[in-house]
RNA sequence: GGCGGGGUAGCUCAGCCGGUCAGAGCGCAAGAUUCAUAACCUUGAGGUCGGGAGUUCGAGCCUCCCCCCCGCUACCA
C-alpha cells in the first residue's frame, strides 16, 4: 500500500494559536483525507516546538516552569484544532507532536550521533566544535571558519567577514557546528528534483541563496545560557540549538531513533514526508533540514511546499497592534468549520499570499456554498421527495419515450453529462496532486453549474405534469442526484462534514471518505434508495448582521486588551502583542537569525568595558542621501570638535534628511572609521531598533544639551 | 543596488510556444422562471490588457526603455 506523510510546521509555543497555524493545518488535513480516499495509508503530523531561551524567558516572567508554559500553549493548540475538527477524533492529525516528548529526545540524540559519525560530502567531520577560533560575524549571526574570512590588513586587527566586509568579533562561547558549507553541491543537486521545492519561484530563491555560499551552522549552545533544550549527546555542557531539535521532529514522531513511535507509526514506512511550511521558514526546511538528513545518511523530504501568508482585507499583514487579526473564537462562532475550510482552499491560491476577511468569507459562503452547492442539493432532493415519492428514481428512458424526452430538451442518453463528470473528476485529481486546491474546487463548481443548468432546461416541474414525460423527469432527477454523489466524493476532503450530510440525505450508507474519487463510475447510485430528511446545508449568512456582531465583539475584545495592557504597563511587552507575521509557525519562531543567535552570546560586561565606549552628544549640520544607496544617509555632525564629523547611518528608509538637520543625537565617537559606499563614516548614530523589520528610532534628549557632552 | 515574480473588466484573477485572447467567477443591471437557501437560468459590462517605442502580415502574449507593486538578497559602524 502506498503511504503518504504530511507535516505542518510544529508551532512555537511563544504565542497563542492564530489563523496561520489553523490555515496550514487545514490544508494538511485536506490533503491527508484526499490521499486516504485514494487508498494511501496516511500519516499527518502537527504539533508544537517547545524549547529555547525564549520559552525559558516567558516562563520566568510568568513565574512558572518552561514545561508548564509549554503545556499551557500546547493545550490551547489542541483545543483550537478540536474546535475546527482537525484532531484525531474528527479524522484529523495522527500525532500532536511535542518536542518535549521523551522519544523526541532519543531520536534527536540519535540523529546527532549519526551525523557526527558520518563525514560530509567533502570528507570532513559533519559536526565539530568551534570554540577557539570563534570569529563571529554579527551580520551573518554566524561563526566564520578560516576560509570564510579575510585577514585584516593591519597586524592585530580582527579579520573581516568575506560577505559583509566587516570586522568579526571574537566570541568566547564554544559551540558545535554543522558543516553546512560542505553541502552546497549536494543540495543544489537535490533541488533539481522536480517538485522538491514548490512553488517554482520559491525554488529559485533557495537556489540563489545556496549559490551565494553557505556558512557552517552553529548547532549548540552552552547549557549555562540555554538550559531548556535537549542535551548534546556525550557533552553535558552543551544543549542542542533550535535547528536540529525542532526540524527533526518530523522523523522522531514517526519512530526514528525510538521503538515506541516506530511501532505506532513507522519511520521506514512513512518517510520521506511532504512538508507544508510558511514561505518565511522555507529556507530552514529546504536547506538546513535536508543537509542534516543527508549528513545522518537519511533521505531528504519528498516535497517542501512553501505557502503564502494570509493578509487582511486590505492586503496588510495581520497584527494585534493593527487590530486586523482574525479571532479564532469569532471565526468559530460565526462560521461552519466547512465554510472556513472551503474558503482557505478555494479563495487562496495555494502558495500565494491571500486576503482573508470576514466579508470575503461571508461572500464565498453565501454565493458558492448556499446558492451553489447547498441550493443544488436542496432543489434536487426536494424534487425527488415531491415527484418521486422520496426514492431515487430510475435513470432509464425507454426507446419509445426518446422522442418525448427530446421534445423536452433532454438527451435520452446520459453520456454527455457522464463524460463531463468524468473529465471533471480527472481534472480534480490532477489539480489535487499538484496542490492546486483552488483549481480543483473550481472544476467541481463547474459541475454544479452544469447540473443547475440541466435542471433549469429540463424543467422537472413541467415534466411532472405530463404522464408521458415521467421517465424523462425521473432520468433528469437521477442524473442530478448522481452528480451530487460524485461531488460528495470529490469534495469530501474539502468539506468532510457537509459532504457527509449530503451523502446521508441522498440516502446512502457509509461515508464519501471511504470512496476513491478515481474510481467513480457513472450510474452507481442505486435506484430506489430512500432519501433522508432534506435540510439546508449552508444557511445563508446575513452579512450586515454578522458583520455588526463581529465588530461589536472586536470592540469589546479591544477594550479588554487595552485594560490588560495598562495593568501591566512597564512590564515587558509580551511576544504576542508584537506585530508578527501571521504565518510565523513554530519551527522558525526562534529561527530569526540575529535575534536568538545574538542573544546567545550576550554576556555581562565590566564597567571598564563600557568606559571604552565614547558616547557624545552631536548635532546634525548637514544630511543627505548617499547616491545609489537605499538605506544610507550621510551626515556631518558637530561633536564640539574643531571639525565636524562625517557619519553614515542606515536610516534613509525611515528619516528624511531635510528633517534631520539641527537635531541633537547620540554618537559613538570612538568607533573605528570605516568606508561605506565610498564615504568614510567616523562614528555611529544610536537608535532603537523596533519590531520585525528593525525600524530605527533615533535616541534624543528632551532637555537641551551642549554638543560634545559625554554620556556615561 | 543585484536577482526573481507581477501590473488584464468595480473586486479576485485565467490567458501554453504571438493570429476566435479580449475571458471566468463575484458584485451590479435587465429579462425569464418558480423545484430550490430572494436561489437557479438567459443577457449585458463596451476594460487604451501599467506607460512609451520597436519587431511582425498580425502582440496582454516577443524586444528595448520607463513607472509602480511584491519576494529574495547587499549596504544599514
Amino acid at each position: 500500500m502506498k503511504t503518504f506523510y504530511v507535516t505542518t510546521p510544529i508551532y512555537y509555543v511563544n504565542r497563542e494559536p492564530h489563523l496561520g497555524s489553523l490555515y496550514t493545518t487545514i490544508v494538511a488535513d485536506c490533503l491527508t483525507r484526499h490521499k486516504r480516499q485514494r487508498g494511501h495509508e496516511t500519516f499527518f503530523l502537527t504539533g508544537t516546538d517547545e524549547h529555547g531561551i525564549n520559552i525559558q524567558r516567558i516562563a520566568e516572567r510568568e513565574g512558572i516552569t518552561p514545561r508548564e508554559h509549554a503545556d499551557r500553549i500546547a493545550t490551547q493548540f489542541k483545543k483550537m484544532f478540536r474546535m475546527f475538527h482537525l484532531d484525531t477524533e474528527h479524522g484529523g492529525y495522527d500525532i500532536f507532536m511535542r518536542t518535549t516528548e521523551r522519544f523526541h529526545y532519543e531520536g534527536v540524540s540519535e540523529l546527532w550521533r549519526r551525523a557526527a559519525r558520518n563525514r560530509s560530502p567533502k570528507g570532513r567531520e559533519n559536526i565539530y566544535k568551534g570554540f577557539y577560533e570563534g570569529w563571529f560575524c554579527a551580520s551573518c549571526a554566524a561563526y566564520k571558519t578560516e576560509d570564510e574570512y579575510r585577514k585584516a590588513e593591519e597586524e592585530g586587527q580582527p579579520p573581516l567577514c568575506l560577505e559583509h566586509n566587516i570586522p568579526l568579533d571574537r566570541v568566547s562561547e564554544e559551540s558545535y557546528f554543522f558543516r553546512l558549507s560542505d553541502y552546497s553541491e549536494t543540495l543544489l543537486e537535490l533541488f533539481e528534483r522536480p517538485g522538491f521545492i514548490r512553488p517554482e519561484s520559491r525554488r529559485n530563491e533557495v537556489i540563489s541563496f545556496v549559490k551565494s555560499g553557505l556558512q557552517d551552522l552553529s548547532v549548540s549552545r552552552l547549557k549555562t545560557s540555554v538550559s531548556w533544550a535537549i542535551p548534546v549527546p556525550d557533552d553535558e555542557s552543551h544543549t542542542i540549538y533550535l535547528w536540529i531539535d525542532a526540524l527533526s521532529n518530523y522523523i522522531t514522531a514517526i519512530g526514528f531513533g525510538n521503538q515506541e513511535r516506530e511501532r505506532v507509526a513507522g519511520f521506514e514506512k512513512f518517510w520521506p514526508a511532504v512538508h507544508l511550511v510558511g514561505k518565511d521558514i522555507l529556507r530552514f526546511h529546504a536547506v538546513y533540514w535536508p543537509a542534516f538528513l543527508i549528513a545522518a545518511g537519511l533521505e531528504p523530504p519528498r516535497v517542501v511546499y512553501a505557502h503564502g501568508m494570509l493578509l487582511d482585507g486590505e492586503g496588510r499583514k495581520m497584527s494585534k497592534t493593527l487590530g486586523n487579526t482574525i479571532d479564532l473564537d469569532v471565526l468559530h462562532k460565526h462560521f461552519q468549520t466547512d465554510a472556513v475550510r472551503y474558503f482557505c482552499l478555494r479563495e487562496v491560491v495555494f502558495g500565494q499570499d491571500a486576503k482573508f476577511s470576514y466579508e470575503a468569507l461571508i461572500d464565498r459562503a453565501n454565493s458558492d456554498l448556499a446558492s451553489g452547492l447547498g441550493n443544488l442539493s436542496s432543489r434536487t432532493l426536494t424534487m425527488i421527495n415531491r415527484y418521486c415519492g422520496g426514492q431515487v428514481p430510475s435513470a432509464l428512458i425507454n426507446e419509445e419515450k426518446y422522442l418525448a424526452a427530446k421534445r423536452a430538451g433532454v438527451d435520452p442518453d446520459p453520456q454527455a453529462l457522464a463524460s463531463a463528470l468524468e473529465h471533471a473528476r480527472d481534472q480534480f485529481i490532477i489539480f489535487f496532486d499538484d496542490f492546486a486546491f483552488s483549481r480543483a474546487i473550481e472544476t467541481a463548481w463547474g459541475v454544479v453549474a452544469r447540473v443547475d443548468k440541466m435542471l433549469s432546461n429540463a424543467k422537472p416541474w413541467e415534466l411532472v405534469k405530463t404522464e408521458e414525460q415521467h421517465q424523462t423527469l425521473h432520468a433528469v432527477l437521477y442524473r442530478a442526484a448522481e452528480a451530487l454523489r460524485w461531488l460528495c466524493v470529490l469534495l469530501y476532503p474539502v468539506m468532510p462534514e457537509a459532504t457527509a450530510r449530503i451523502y446521508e440525505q441522498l440516502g446512502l450508507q457509509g461515508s464519501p471518505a471511504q470512496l476513491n474519487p478515481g474510481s467513480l463510475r457513472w450510474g452507481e447510485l442505486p435506484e430506489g434508495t430512500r432519501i433522508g430528511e432534506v435540510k439546508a446545508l449552508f444557511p445563508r449568512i446575513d452579512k450586515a448582521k454578522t458583520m455588526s456582531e463581529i465588530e461589536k465583539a472586536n470592540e469589546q475584545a479591544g477594550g479588554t486588551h487595552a485594560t490588560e495592557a495598562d495593568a501591566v504597563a512597564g512590564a515587558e511587552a509580551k511576544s504576542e502583542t508584537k506585530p508578527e507575521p501571521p504565518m510565523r509557525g513554530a519551527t522558525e519562531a526562534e529561527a530569526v537569525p540575529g535575534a536568538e543567535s545574538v542573544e546567545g552570546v550576550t554576556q555581562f560586561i565590566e564597567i571598564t568595558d563600557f568606559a571604552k565606549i565614547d558616547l557624545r552628544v552631536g548635532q546634525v549640520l548637514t544630511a543627505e542621501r548617499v547616491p545609489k544607496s537605499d538605506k544610507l544617509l550621510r551626515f556631518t555632525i558637530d561633536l564640539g570638535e574643531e571639525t565636524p564629523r562625517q557619519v553614515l547611518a542606515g536610516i534613509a528608509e525611515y528619516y528624511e534628511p531635510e528633517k534631520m538637520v539641527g537635531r541633537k543625537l547620540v554618537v559613538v565617537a570612538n568607533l573605528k572609521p570605516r568606508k561605506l559606499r565610498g564615504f568614510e563614516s567616523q562614528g555611529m548614530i544610536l537608535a532603537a531598533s523596533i519590531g520585525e523589520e528593525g525600524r530605527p528610532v533615533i535616541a534624543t534628549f528632551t532637555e537641551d544639551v551642549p554638543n560634545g557632552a559625554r554620556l556615561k
Side-chain angles (χ1 to χ4, degrees):
Chain A
M1 191 191 256
K2 279 193 189 168
T3 60
F4 179 79
Y5 177 31
V6 66
T7 71
T8 72
I10 47 171
Y11 305 109
Y12 200 44
V13 295
N14 64 337
R15 53 185 304 198
E16 287 157 23
H18 57 281
L19 185 64
S21 23
L22 176 63
Y23 171 64
T24 317
T25 312
I26 283 175
V27 174
D29 182 85
C30 171
L31 249 184
T32 307
R33 288 175 196 267
H34 176 77
K35 292 290 183 185
R36 223 185 277 147
Q37 279 184 303
R38 303 264 300 278
H40 293 69
E41 190 176 350
T42 59
F43 197 85
F44 165 19
L45 170 148
T46 191
T48 43
D49 174 20
E50 307 186 354
H51 290 125
I53 186 78
N54 295 332
I55 304 310
Q56 228 171 296
R57 296 220 174 105
I58 293 171
E60 229 166 84
R61 211 152 54 210
E62 291 171 345
I64 56 178
T65 66
R67 174 72 205 208
E68 283 167 338
H69 171 80
D71 285 347
R72 191 181 286 177
I73 303 287
T75 303
Q76 288 182 25
F77 268 97
K78 286 183 178 172
K79 192 179 142 210
M80 188 271 276
F81 288 145
R82 196 184 324 124
M83 205 158 88
F84 288 95
H85 301 179
L86 295 161
D87 57 342
T88 310
E89 275 178 39
H90 291 88
Y93 59 71
D94 293 289
I95 183 175
F96 187 94
M97 175 65 196
R98 299 185 59 183
T99 54
T100 44
E101 306 267 12
R102 202 174 42 80
F103 66 75
H104 180 64
Y105 277 56
E106 289 168 12
V108 170
S109 303
E110 177 63 19
L111 181 75
W112 178 291
R113 286 207 173 92
R114 286 210 201 172
R117 206 162 54 219
N118 294 341
R119 293 276 159 168
S120 79
K122 295 189 176 166
R124 299 195 280 178
E125 292 163 308
N126 276 319
I127 294 179
Y128 63 94
K129 215 178 213 178
F131 54 131
Y132 288 124
E133 303 295 331
W135 289 113
F136 188 89
C137 173
S139 286
C140 303
Y143 290 94
K144 296 288 170 172
T145 54
E146 227 170 304
D147 53 341
E148 289 169 332
Y149 62 72
R150 178 162 51 85
K151 283 218 172 100
E153 284 164 24
E154 297 169 54
E155 204 61 28
Q157 292 298 321
L160 303 171
C161 172
L162 279 181
E163 210 172 315
H164 298 93
N165 202 28
I166 60 173
L168 300 176
D169 301 316
R170 202 183 187 88
V171 172
S172 59
E173 175 171 336
E174 66 173 26
S175 160
Y176 286 96
F177 291 88
F178 176 74
R179 188 90 61 185
L180 187 63
S181 56
D182 278 5
Y183 283 81
S184 299
E185 287 78 11
T186 310
L187 287 169
L188 287 171
E189 218 170 281
L190 175 63
F191 299 159
E192 293 306 314
R193 286 193 194 172
F196 177 69
I197 299 176
R198 297 206 55 195
E200 195 69 16
S201 55
R202 296 287 157 200
R203 171 174 169 268
N204 295 333
E205 286 178 11
V206 176
I207 288 175
S208 74
F209 171 74
V210 171
K211 280 188 175 163
S212 75
L214 294 173
Q215 297 135 30
D216 290 350
L217 210 59
S218 167
V219 289
S220 79
R221 287 290 178 270
L222 282 178
K223 192 173 182 182
T224 47
S225 42
V226 184
S227 60
W228 177 237
I230 300 172
V232 167
D234 310 316
D235 188 343
E236 276 295 296
S237 59
H238 282 80
T239 53
I240 295 176
Y241 184 53
L242 166 69
W243 318 113
I244 291 182
D245 173 8
L247 290 164
S248 59
N249 90 87
Y250 301 130
I251 58 174
T252 66
I254 53 173
F256 175 80
N258 62 84
Q259 289 305 308
E260 174 200 346
R261 291 302 305 167
E262 178 63 40
R263 271 195 302 277
V264 177
F267 174 73
E268 291 300 328
K269 185 168 161 188
F270 285 107
W271 190 253
V274 171
H275 295 312
L276 306 183
V277 302
K279 63 181 184 184
D280 51 339
I281 55 170
L282 172 61
R283 182 186 300 170
F284 313 124
H285 287 80
V287 179
Y288 302 170
W289 177 225
F292 294 155
L293 288 163
I294 292 166
L298 301 171
E299 251 186 277
R302 200 147 66 86
V303 176
V304 181
Y305 204 119
H307 68 243
M309 305 268 229
L310 296 184
L311 310 167
D312 74 1
E314 266 83 62
R316 297 170 305 182
K317 282 185 178 179
M318 293 185 188
S319 75
K320 286 215 172 173
T321 43
L322 275 177
N324 60 352
T325 54
I326 298 290
D327 185 300
L328 295 182
D329 290 316
V330 172
L331 194 63
H332 178 252
K333 184 180 168 202
H334 291 279
F335 302 94
Q336 296 184 49
T337 296
D338 277 358
V340 176
R341 291 174 70 104
Y342 176 81
F343 186 85
C344 286
L345 294 157
R346 169 62 186 83
E347 182 89 358
V348 180
V349 175
F350 193 58
Q352 296 185 0
D353 289 356
K355 293 173 186 172
F356 191 114
S357 65
Y358 295 116
E359 287 96 331
L361 177 51
I362 292 170
D363 288 343
R364 277 283 175 206
N366 280 344
S367 64
D368 294 5
L369 298 180
S371 303
L373 182 63
N375 182 59
L376 176 62
S377 170
S378 167
R379 69 193 301 208
T380 302
L381 293 166
T382 302
M383 286 192 279
I384 290 178
N385 257 339
R386 193 171 302 180
Y387 306 147
C388 310
Q391 282 181 301
V392 172
S394 163
L396 193 71
I397 300 178
N398 291 331
E399 247 173 273
E400 62 264 29
K401 301 288 186 191
Y402 272 20
L403 222 60
K406 281 182 181 160
R407 232 181 295 126
V410 174
D411 188 343
D413 186 354
Q415 191 51 47
L417 212 216
S419 299
L421 279 168
E422 283 160 8
H423 184 251
R425 170 199 67 197
D426 296 343
Q427 285 296 113
F428 187 93
I429 289 171
I430 289 169
F431 283 136
F432 243 81
D433 283 341
D434 198 37
F435 300 89
F437 310 111
S438 61
R439 302 290 298 277
I441 293 171
E442 278 182 89
T443 305
W445 254 256
V447 172
V448 172
R450 186 176 177 121
V451 176
D452 260 331
K453 187 182 281 192
M454 175 189 77
L455 290 174
S456 296
N457 290 343
K459 300 187 181 61
W461 50 96
E462 296 288 341
L463 298 178
V464 73
K465 293 173 184 164
T466 336
E467 179 67 35
E468 195 195 20
Q469 292 291 18
H470 278 193
Q471 280 196 2
T472 312
L473 165 71
H474 290 163
V476 165
L477 291 181
Y478 179 88
R479 289 172 197 180
E482 171 66 344
L484 267 181
R485 184 181 72 93
W486 281 49
L487 286 170
C488 284
V489 176
L490 292 178
L491 293 172
Y492 159 76
V494 178
M495 296 183 289
E497 286 156 34
T499 50
R501 272 186 291 148
I502 299 177
Y503 209 70
E504 202 187 321
Q505 291 186 23
L506 278 168
L508 293 166
Q509 301 297 311
S511 153
Q514 296 152 341
L515 293 175
N516 185 339
S519 308
L520 279 169
R521 297 289 173 267
W522 177 261
E524 291 191 346
L525 173 65
E527 141 186 9
T529 310
R530 178 151 293 283
I531 64 168
E533 190 189 350
V534 181
K535 273 190 285 196
L537 296 156
F538 306 104
R540 188 163 298 279
I541 300 169
D542 183 331
K543 191 172 179 181
K545 182 165 162 269
T546 302
M547 283 314 297
S548 84
E549 279 172 22
I550 290 173
E551 269 156 33
K552 205 176 291 173
N554 274 349
E555 274 166 32
Q556 281 167 4
T560 314
H561 284 310
T563 320
E564 278 173 6
D566 289 345
V568 293
E572 283 172 88
K574 285 195 181 179
S575 58
E576 55 264 36
T577 61
K578 276 192 289 185
E580 279 190 307
M583 304 308 285
R584 187 158 282 285
T587 328
E588 79 298 7
E590 272 189 303
V592 184
E596 159 97 359
S597 321
V598 172
E599 274 175 351
V601 296
T602 300
Q603 296 158 6
F604 287 114
I605 60 168
E606 299 293 334
I607 184 76
T608 49
D609 292 321
F610 175 71
K612 291 176 191 164
I613 304 170
D614 188 10
L615 297 174
R616 302 266 176 185
V617 174
Q619 183 170 24
V620 177
L621 300 177
T622 67
E624 62 181 42
R625 289 180 185 279
V626 173
K628 294 187 180 179
S629 165
D630 301 335
K631 301 195 180 179
L632 284 176
L633 288 185
R634 185 170 73 92
F635 296 100
T636 49
I637 298 182
D638 179 6
L639 284 184
E641 298 165 325
E642 284 189 20
T643 50
R645 299 261 193 127
Q646 171 171 284
V647 174
L648 282 83
I651 57 174
E653 289 173 306
Y654 303 94
Y655 285 92
E656 297 292 328
E658 304 77 44
K659 292 182 183 162
M660 292 299 296
V661 176
R663 235 178 122 156
K664 300 241 180 183
L665 31 70
V666 181
V667 175
V668 183
N670 61 343
L671 204 60
K672 190 182 163 203
R674 197 198 141 198
K675 273 200 169 182
L676 288 169
R677 293 262 167 201
F679 296 98
E680 185 174 80
S681 183
Q682 303 160 325
M684 170 178 168
I685 293 171
L686 286 194
S689 181
I690 307 298
E692 190 77 13
E693 77 279 21
R695 177 173 62 89
V697 175
I698 293 175
T700 47
F701 297 92
T702 51
E703 294 164 68
D704 195 33
V705 281
N707 296 342
R710 175 149 194 199
L711 282 79
K712 51 185 181 178

